[in-house]
Amino acid sequence: MEMSGNGSGSPPEFHEPVMLSEVLDALQVIPGGRYIDATLGEGGHARAILRAASPGGQLIGIDADPEAVVSAEKRLEEFGSLVRIVNENFTEMQAIATRYEFAPVHGVLMDLGVSSLQLDRESRGFSFRRSDPLDMRFSNDGGLDANKIVNQYSERELGDIIYRYGDERASRRIASAIVENRPVKNALQLADIISSVKRRGRRGIHSATQTFQALRIAVNDEMVALEAGLEQAVNVTGTGGRIVVISYHSLEDRIVKNFFRNAASDCICDSEGWQSPFCTCNHTPTLKPVIRGALTPTASEVNANPRSRSAKLRVASRI
């Protein structure tokens, strides 16, 4: 996730990345290193990584959003052949690294937030402040979109999605209000419906935030994609390399936390849902923790960019 430029020297049409100094420290970027930014966005993190890896550092940037790719290409053009930008999902990370003979790498970054490009410039319904179409797909490859979920799913199915992926306590009331007001034609109308049955949250958080989050996750099957991406990040990272993940809500963070914990464990029998008096999984650890728990943005960063307030950064090292 990236925030609006704030006089740091970046071109004003771009945005500044979240927790930039923490990311560079966590990755331990070295001159000549090879890195994958699996969620490229506008290329803010990638730009800083490439500069820190100079001379000779290389990077592959991956993003499913074709508009993000265009923006990143402009931002990263100064690096020439040292950067390769790929318009695919990070679920293809290992195949991409193999295709370009770009493994093992020194580090992988996964910033799981919706970019400011998507929130501020696009018209796919990610923002609840405009009357954009209810789309919410990261790519234009067809398939499920938010309009189908909002206008065709049963009240129970809709409520389940909002509760599971949005951690929304008012999920049933919101689902009922949506069904009663069908057809819902755009994002602004949907936000108004939600606001009619739920008050604004703490710290002024918009009442539609968690529902929009839930719809976006369901449309893009993000939880399944995240687990696949984490597995592939391990596979492409060399011994001693770092995997850095920034998440923005509890469900994502729980998946990352559990993945890192299991990957660092000698035995994961219990993680499969049953207990045994002796280990039968023969699990070999592939990661070790670098920090205890998660890092969060500084107060000054949250002040400058309220969207960063829920960010949590976790980092592990490849064994």
Side-chain angles (χ1 to χ4, degrees), residues 26 28 82 118 152 156 166 188 201 225 236 250 260 296 299-300 314:
Q28 288 193 324
L82 295 175
Q118 291 164 327
Q152 296 183 28
R156 181 175 179 178
L188 187 59
V236 302
S250 58
F260 280 1
T296 56
S300 59
R314 295 187 184 272

Side-chain angles (χ1 to χ4, degrees), residues 115-135:
S115 73
S116 292
L117 175 70
Q118 291 164 327
L119 288 170
D120 295 339
R121 300 182 189 172
E122 295 195 5
S123 56
R124 299 188 201 165
F126 289 107
S127 173
F128 39 72
R129 304 185 190 281
R130 297 190 305 269
S131 55
D132 296 339
L134 287 168
D135 190 324

Side-chain angles (χ1 to χ4, degrees), residues 138-160:
F138 286 148
S139 66
N140 298 319
D141 295 335
L144 182 65
D145 62 13
N147 182 68
K148 182 173 182 179
I149 295 176
V150 168
N151 286 306
Q152 296 183 28
Y153 277 29
S154 71
E155 182 176 324
R156 181 175 179 178
E157 290 173 322
L158 187 54
D160 286 346

Side-chain angles (χ1 to χ4, degrees), residues 267-282:
C267 173
I268 59 171
C269 287
D270 288 352
S271 72
E272 300 299 324
W274 57 279
Q275 295 183 342
S276 171
F278 51 88
C279 178
T280 59
C281 66
N282 298 315

Side-chain angles (χ1 to χ4, degrees), residues 68-280:
V69 165
V70 171
S71 184
E73 286 174 342
K74 182 178 179 182
R75 193 173 197 174
L76 301 176
E77 61 185 356
E78 66 181 277
F79 300 102
S81 62
L82 295 175
V83 61
R84 185 182 295 275
I85 299 174
V86 183
N87 183 200
E88 294 186 42
N89 194 289
F90 62 59
T91 56
E92 301 298 321
M93 190 189 317
Q94 190 170 353
I96 292 167
T98 301
R99 183 190 315 158
Y100 296 113
E101 300 181 344
F102 203 78
V105 298
H106 293 89
V108 174
L109 171 65
M110 300 171 71
D111 178 357
L112 305 175
V114 178
S115 73
S116 292
L117 175 70
Q118 291 164 327
L119 288 170
D120 295 339
R121 300 182 189 172
E122 295 195 5
S123 56
R124 299 188 201 165
F126 289 107
S127 173
F128 39 72
R129 304 185 190 281
R130 297 190 305 269
S131 55
D132 296 339
L134 287 168
D135 190 324
M136 297 194 189
R137 292 172 297 170
F138 286 148
S139 66
N140 298 319
D141 295 335
L144 182 65
D145 62 13
N147 182 68
K148 182 173 182 179
I149 295 176
V150 168
N151 286 306
Q152 296 183 28
Y153 277 29
S154 71
E155 182 176 324
R156 181 175 179 178
E157 290 173 322
L158 187 54
D160 286 346
I161 286 172
I162 296 170
Y163 179 78
R164 180 182 181 189
Y165 295 139
D167 198 22
E168 173 59 81
R169 294 182 180 180
S171 59
R172 299 302 166 191
R173 285 190 285 120
I174 291 170
S176 177
I178 290 172
V179 171
E180 287 176 9
N181 286 276
R182 284 173 173 171
V184 182
K185 297 179 180 178
N186 57 58
L188 187 59
Q189 182 189 356
L190 176 60
D192 288 342
I193 292 168
I194 296 166
S195 297
S196 72
V197 295
K198 182 191 173 186
R199 294 180 180 179
R200 187 175 288 269
R202 294 175 302 159
R203 296 179 293 178
I205 297 173
H206 196 286
S207 52
T209 298
Q210 290 161 274
T211 297
F212 272 62
Q213 168 191 294
L215 292 171
R216 190 203 78 222
I217 290 171
V219 165
N220 297 287
D221 205 9
E222 291 179 41
M223 297 304 103
V224 173
L226 174 55
E227 293 190 6
L230 289 168
E231 289 280 1
Q232 294 188 37
V234 171
N235 293 340
V236 302
T237 303
T239 303
R242 297 289 184 86
I243 299 172
V244 177
V245 186
I246 306 175
S247 60
Y248 295 86
H249 60 82
S250 58
L251 183 56
E252 280 179 341
D253 183 58
R254 195 178 308 126
I255 289 173
V256 177
K257 176 183 176 180
N258 290 341
F259 181 90
F260 280 1
R261 183 192 62 212
N262 288 340
S265 299
D266 292 316
C267 173
I268 59 171
C269 287
D270 288 352
S271 72
E272 300 299 324
W274 57 279
Q275 295 183 342
S276 171
F278 51 88
C279 178
T280 59

Side-chain angles (χ1 to χ4, degrees), residues 297-319:
T298 62
S300 59
E301 178 169 359
V302 173
N303 227 16
N305 176 25
R307 289 176 183 165
S308 72
R309 63 181 173 265
S310 58
K312 289 187 177 181
L313 183 152
R314 295 187 184 272
V315 54
S317 178
R318 184 72 162 91
I319 297 174

